[in-house]
Amino acid sequence: MEGFDISALKQIPRPELFEFEGISMTHYFTDNWENVQNFKARPDDILIATYPKAGTTWVSYILDLLYFGNTAPERQTSLPIYMRVPFLETAFPVIPAGVKLADNLPTTPRLIKTHLPVQLVPKSFWEQNSRVVYVARNAKDNAVSYFHFDKMNIGQPEPGDWSTFLKNYIDGKNVFGPWYDHVCGYWEKKKTYSNIHYIFFEDMVEDTGREVERLCSFLGLSTPSEEKERITKSVHFDSMKQNNMTNYSTNPVMDFKISPFMRKGKVGDWKNHFTVAQNEQFDEHYKQKMKNTTLQFRTDI
Ligand code: A3P
């Protein structure tokens, strides 16, 4: 973030949650709303859409390497992933709004990140038939990851203790609203909009190479196999954790003493957090919320 005094971000107070367009939000994602909704997508844009903590950074980095890994090596060593792949709806202090960063991207395609639920995605993406890569993660691990993220990130509301956070998560009272509606919304959209590639975090952990392969088919890329293998190695959890351009260590709003951004990267860490009672309650509610969808998740691999 050259040219910006990002250290000032350390001083900002935590934001409050409020209802906005039917979901819980903080002002960082609503202050630039009109410009977000009027964003002019292009047919070759690629929108990386996720519920927070589903593996956004992982897939962003894979796409960045697939498209620009060879053509722009300096990009890999000098530009953090969150600057290469702007976060569309952000209006953080000090740094330019996500829309502006996306507008100014010099690359083709432009890789753009959003956490907006499907009904709030700027309509130009659908009108332009832009490609959408959606990553979903099972609700339990997603909750655990989100809890640790909220604790370490002063740009997020205060999460309280684990049981308070979990209760709020079940009620959809966290930034970007309920997990259930988010994952189901994009799943439903796939039925009428064929340019969505729906990926599961658990599949990525199980076999990253296979998912890179599938991404290439969706994107129509004929990346040589050696290159795909190299990318698969570079995006391994341990490599990304070591890499200052992908581990968010350059981001001043995150306190790594509380929790690193690249925390565990596992399927099943929820078992270290949920009590038996919490798990039963969660499952009961989950069954209700997910009873009308064909969408299935694995909480173990
Ligand atoms: P954990 O907190 O469970 O470790 P997002 O990028 O959407 O914010 O998601 C962050 C989550 O994805 C974190 O989960 C992070 O560790 C995990 N993650 C990021 N890169 C990963 C990788 N290469 N392999 C496995 N998990 C990864």
Side-chain angles (χ1 to χ4, degrees):
M1 292 203 235
E2 266 165 52
F4 305 108
D5 179 16
I6 53 173
S7 62
L9 293 175
K10 278 190 185 153
Q11 316 301 331
I12 57 171
R14 279 183 179 259
E16 294 291 329
L17 213 53
F18 57 89
E19 284 298 302
F20 181 84
E21 299 279 343
I23 58 167
S24 296
M25 284 290 238
T26 66
H27 73 94
Y28 292 133
F29 306 109
T30 63
D31 279 352
N32 198 30
W33 196 246
E34 217 177 299
N35 292 328
V36 172
Q37 288 302 301
N38 292 328
F39 180 72
K40 286 194 173 42
R42 298 179 194 154
D44 50 15
D45 283 343
I46 301 176
L47 186 67
I48 300 165
T50 59
Y51 191 70
K53 311 317 292 172
T56 331
T57 315
W58 196 1
V59 166
S60 298
Y61 189 39
I62 293 173
L63 290 191
D64 188 71
L65 287 174
L66 281 171
Y67 281 103
F68 310 117
N70 286 331
T71 51
E74 73 292 345
R75 184 179 165 90
Q76 302 305 329
T77 50
S78 61
L79 210 52
I81 192 69
Y82 51 83
M83 296 304 279
R84 296 181 217 167
V85 182
F87 186 176
L88 189 66
E89 55 272 24
T90 52
F92 293 132
V94 187
I95 54 172
V99 165
K100 187 143 202 112
L101 291 171
D103 277 337
N104 292 341
L105 276 179
T107 58
T108 306
R110 300 185 300 182
L111 305 176
I112 300 169
K113 154 182 167 179
T114 188
H115 287 321
L116 291 173
V118 73
Q119 73 277 13
L120 299 181
V121 168
K123 63 178 183 320
S124 62
F125 284 102
W126 313 122
E127 289 166 354
Q128 294 296 320
N129 198 31
S130 311
R131 281 163 298 182
V132 179
V133 174
Y134 186 78
V135 193
R137 184 178 194 181
N138 80 75
K140 292 179 184 176
D141 283 326
N142 209 135
V144 168
S145 183
Y146 209 167
F147 169 63
H148 289 287
F149 183 70
D150 278 2
K151 281 207 301 186
M152 60 81 101
N153 184 346
I154 56 163
Q156 287 287 104
E158 183 60 62
D161 62 13
W162 164 243
S163 69
T164 308
F165 176 88
L166 186 61
K167 191 176 173 317
N168 287 332
Y169 182 86
I170 288 174
D171 293 340
K173 292 202 173 68
N174 35 10
V175 190
F176 295 104
W179 173 92
Y180 311 90
D181 298 352
H182 208 286
V183 295
C184 291
Y186 282 90
W187 186 250
E188 286 305 307
K189 183 79 180 174
K190 228 163 64 75
K191 292 182 182 159
T192 53
Y193 186 85
S194 58
N195 247 352
I196 295 184
H197 181 58
Y198 203 104
I199 308 181
F200 295 93
F201 180 92
E202 295 72 28
D203 289 352
M204 304 240 303
V205 172
E206 184 178 69
D207 190 341
T208 312
R210 179 191 60 206
E211 296 309 312
V212 169
E213 200 73 62
R214 287 180 179 163
L215 266 167
C216 287
S217 323
F218 170 68
L219 299 167
L221 292 174
S222 50
T223 311
S225 355
E226 317 82 69
E227 180 62 17
K228 280 185 280 203
E229 276 164 34
R230 220 174 15 247
I231 291 174
T232 303
K233 280 204 189 99
S234 311
V235 305
H236 189 274
F237 181 84
D238 299 333
S239 314
M240 282 183 64
K241 194 177 169 80
Q242 297 303 320
N243 181 344
N244 285 342
M245 295 296 114
T246 58
N247 65 14
Y248 274 83
S249 58
T250 51
N251 188 315
V253 301
M254 298 181 184
D255 186 346
F256 280 28
K257 288 200 285 299
I258 298 175
S259 174
F261 178 85
M262 297 290 301
R263 197 183 57 89
K264 286 193 181 172
K266 295 253 185 292
V267 181
D269 187 39
W270 62 270
K271 291 176 199 160
N272 298 316
H273 291 75
F274 282 67
T275 63
V276 172
Q278 282 170 343
N279 194 36
E280 281 170 3
Q281 210 182 2
F282 194 91
D283 285 346
E284 197 50 47
H285 179 260
Y286 188 93
K287 242 194 292 174
Q288 281 305 314
K289 292 298 284 185
M290 301 294 277
K291 67 171 187 276
N292 293 324
T293 180
T294 53
L295 184 55
Q296 303 260 326
F297 284 88
R298 292 188 287 168
T299 51
D300 237 331
I301 55 171

